[in-house]
Amino acid sequence: MPCTTILVGKKASYDGSTMIARNDDSPSGQFTPKKFVVVHPEEQPKKYKSVLSHVEIDLPEDPMRYTAVPNALDGEGIWAAHGVNAAGVGMTATETITSNARVLGADPLVEYVPAKDGVEEISGGIGEEDIVSLVLPYIHSAREGVTRLGSLLEKYGTYEMNGIAFSDKNEIWWLETIGGHHWIARRVPDDAYVVMPNQFGIDAFDLEDALTEQKEHMCSADLKEFIEKNHLDLSQGGGFSARDAFGSHDDSDHVYNTARAWYMLRTLNPRTKVWDGPNAEYTPFSDDLPWCMVPEKKITVEDVKYVLSSHYQGTPYDPYASYGDKTMCGAYRSIGINRNDVMTLIQMRPEGEPIQWLAFASNAFNVLAPFYTDMDTTPGYLSGTNGKVSTENFYWMSRMIAAMADASYSKSVFHIERYQEKVAAKSHEILNRYDTLLEQETDEETRKKLQEEANEKIAGMLQCAAADTLDKVLYELSGQMKNAYARSDA
């Protein structure tokens, strides 16, 4: 699925946290309602069967509890998307990425073949539908997540190209699939951040480290032979570029992918490079945008939310621009679009419990709120999403606010900004209060109850703030109806 990812190392974040965040977007022409739940060990199957590919996989006997943001409606599988397990490991899967014909010809994707004319079906590999459920309940570190997923890819293969992030308090690892069975992973530098649109992203890669000490790089065991046999290394004069070898370089990338990475880098490093004008070092067309950069200032939760909500504000490409030359408005695929279904930011704090921040529907108009993850249940306002459009759950409430605010943008945008600021401030206030209570409490059950209590308070705050904002944007939209009267005495 189309998505956008940002990863922030612990020395690049404002409080020493590792942060991994991703927009989960639905395909064109549809919404995919999402919910926030806890999956308990007894709910995890012993044999997993993929709905889409029909692959069957025996699972370990000792799964852990974990949070997830699965599809709210039955159909094409679980799609757990993002979560934190009981060992304090976070995961987001997946960022759909690209490849090239040389890679896919050398190691074809493992696609499902249905039964036909008396011939039995052939199961496919694993994909976005499956990966969180297959990996997150069984890992105790980010590095271990790479190892487990890598072994599954080598054994069962995949039917699509994907990027997956793992985090714990100390590290973030980013894994990208290569063809049907191969993969590479790189540790995010502690002092840097990574931006990822729907495109193969890792640039420089140390194969020697990946095949020996694995300090900063990991890969499938036969990757060196695979590269040599299929003449995939395009470098000249030393150095190996994974992006050149395994990625795509299509004209469509310059509309759909590189522009998103360019804008995120431009926002977080506005003075480091020249991003605009005839002397720009990087443009929306650049294929050599850095995979990671050291930010000019430490990155906050609000910074992450801003870049994952962006629609090229301050540039000629903003589809909402009401001034200047509008010939380039909407030229590039925005990050904050109507097809955003959920944004999750997993914050592994050096002190305190892990936090899973959630925002539903279009990021240009929604709010991000924090939830503790060591609990047995999630608030009904976030877990109760179903197919019925209703103001009784946060997903559909957010979807309605976005639709109305978009249609009345010039009148509603300041209501949205106030909504976002109010929820952000109140979220930090509630976190600060309960962090203090948790610091003073050692009993495990009491700590869990405190976290569930905090989550319910945050959900209640969201419900009130969203209802108030819906009322305001509905009024603004109604005022633009063709039969609305401007005169109060008419």
Side-chain angles (χ1 to χ4, degrees):
M1 287 189 180
C3 307
T4 310
T5 294
I6 180 170
L7 317 171
V8 183
K10 61 186 179 182
K11 293 182 180 178
S13 72
Y14 73 108
D15 66 346
S17 299
T18 61
M19 296 192 289
I20 61 174
R22 181 174 64 91
N23 289 353
D24 195 337
D25 304 339
S26 58
S28 297
Q30 68 182 70
F31 295 142
T32 306
K34 305 290 282 188
K35 59 184 179 180
F36 179 43
V37 301
V38 177
V39 182
H40 294 276
E42 61 271 19
E43 299 173 292
Q44 184 75 357
K46 294 185 178 180
K47 180 184 283 289
Y48 181 90
K49 183 173 181 179
S50 171
V51 173
L52 292 183
S53 72
H54 294 203
V55 65
E56 296 188 23
I57 299 174
D58 290 325
L59 297 177
E61 292 290 334
D62 54 348
M64 286 178 279
R65 184 197 72 243
Y66 64 101
T67 61
V69 193
N71 290 355
L73 307 182
D74 294 334
E76 297 184 338
I78 299 171
W79 301 80
H82 327 258
V84 177
N85 70 20
V89 181
M91 180 178 180
T92 179
T94 67
E95 179 83 26
T96 304
I97 59 174
T98 54
S99 189
N100 61 64
R102 297 179 305 283
V103 168
L104 297 176
D107 183 9
L109 298 174
V110 184
E111 298 180 350
Y112 168 67
V113 180
K116 185 178 181 181
D117 299 329
V119 179
E120 291 187 1
E121 70 174 17
I122 301 174
S123 61
I126 62 175
E128 182 173 353
E129 171 203 345
D130 320 297
I131 288 175
V132 170
S133 299
L134 293 173
V135 177
L136 186 58
Y138 309 102
I139 59 176
H140 297 82
S141 69
R143 181 182 288 265
E144 192 177 326
V146 173
T147 302
R148 174 163 173 78
L149 177 56
S151 66
L152 290 169
L153 291 167
E154 291 173 27
K155 182 175 182 178
Y156 298 99
T158 182
Y159 56 83
E160 59 188 1
M161 294 285 295
N162 283 316
I164 300 96
F166 300 94
S167 67
D168 54 41
K169 287 186 176 183
N170 295 311
E171 295 186 318
I172 300 172
W173 282 83
W174 176 252
L175 181 151
E176 295 184 312
T177 63
I178 300 166
H181 299 84
H182 293 83
W183 58 274
I184 63 174
R186 184 172 163 187
R187 184 181 183 275
V188 176
D190 291 340
D191 63 350
Y193 68 96
V194 167
V195 297
M196 282 292 306
N198 296 117
Q199 189 176 23
F200 197 99
I202 295 175
D203 44 23
F205 189 79
D206 188 338
L207 270 171
E208 183 178 351
D209 178 48
L211 294 169
T212 55
E213 295 185 72
Q214 299 185 340
K215 289 182 178 179
E216 308 288 336
H217 307 78
M218 300 172 71
C219 68
S220 43
D222 66 339
L223 188 64
K224 185 176 181 180
E225 293 78 10
F226 176 70
I227 293 169
E228 292 174 352
K229 179 181 178 181
N230 296 286
H231 312 290
L232 297 175
D233 185 357
L234 304 182
S235 61
Q236 296 207 60
F240 173 67
S241 170
R243 188 184 298 171
D244 288 344
F246 309 130
S248 65
H249 309 282
D250 299 330
D251 291 341
S252 60
D253 285 326
H254 298 150
V255 174
Y256 199 79
N257 291 318
T258 54
R260 281 185 278 159
W262 168 83
Y263 188 80
M264 288 190 283
L265 294 169
R266 178 184 182 273
T267 300
L268 297 174
N269 283 80
R271 293 172 292 277
T272 306
K273 303 289 183 180
V274 179
W275 304 99
D276 303 285
N279 298 318
E281 297 172 79
Y282 294 109
T283 75
F285 291 90
S286 296
D287 289 320
D288 59 344
L289 290 162
W291 178 71
C292 66
M293 290 188 75
V294 176
E296 292 180 10
K297 64 178 182 64
K298 293 190 174 183
I299 296 172
T300 67
V301 168
E302 289 72 35
D303 293 329
V304 172
K305 173 65 168 70
Y306 183 85
V307 295
L308 289 184
S309 304
S310 64
H311 43 87
Y312 302 106
Q313 299 96 307
T315 77
Y317 317 122
D318 185 356
Y320 296 108
S322 58
Y323 53 87
D325 182 3
K326 298 182 182 180
T327 57
M328 292 297 289
C329 288
Y332 302 119
R333 192 269 206 201
S334 293
I335 298 172
I337 55 174
N338 68 318
R339 293 185 290 108
N340 300 144
D341 284 319
V342 60
M343 170 196 162
T344 289
L345 187 163
I346 294 172
Q347 183 183 18
M348 295 297 183
R349 301 182 296 171
E351 305 293 337
E353 298 291 333
I355 298 295
Q356 186 164 350
W357 297 75
L358 290 168
F360 286 134
S362 174
N363 280 355
F365 305 102
N366 65 12
V367 292
L368 185 66
F371 296 90
Y372 290 101
T373 60
D374 183 16
M375 73 278 186
D376 292 326
T377 186
T378 56
Y381 191 52
L382 288 95
S383 64
T385 311
N386 54 39
K388 180 182 177 181
V389 178
S390 169
T391 58
E392 295 178 0
N393 65 73
F394 191 42
Y395 177 86
W396 286 115
M397 179 67 94
S398 299
R399 186 65 74 194
M400 286 186 276
I401 289 172
M404 294 178 189
D406 181 272
S408 57
Y409 184 81
S410 62
K411 299 281 189 179
S412 293
V413 64
F414 78 97
H415 295 307
I416 296 300
E417 289 176 351
R418 290 180 179 178
Y419 173 43
Q420 292 169 339
E421 291 169 1
K422 178 180 179 179
V423 168
K426 195 66 178 178
S427 293
H428 284 292
E429 178 189 330
I430 295 172
L431 274 186
N432 289 337
R433 187 190 322 151
Y434 277 87
D435 280 347
T436 300
L437 293 174
L438 288 165
E439 286 174 6
Q440 299 166 355
E441 184 57 63
T442 57
D443 180 72
E444 186 176 332
E445 284 303 312
T446 303
R447 288 177 59 83
K448 185 176 293 187
K449 288 179 181 178
L450 282 171
Q451 292 182 64
E452 290 181 352
E453 181 181 303
N455 289 352
E456 290 292 347
K457 286 188 179 298
I458 290 167
M461 176 268 293
L462 286 175
Q463 194 162 10
C464 292
D468 181 61
T469 303
L470 181 65
D471 176 70
K472 289 180 169 65
V473 297
L474 176 60
Y475 175 83
E476 300 295 356
L477 181 61
S478 299
Q480 295 184 190
M481 294 173 65
K482 294 187 184 301
N483 65 345
Y485 284 92
R487 288 172 50 193
S488 61
D489 59 343

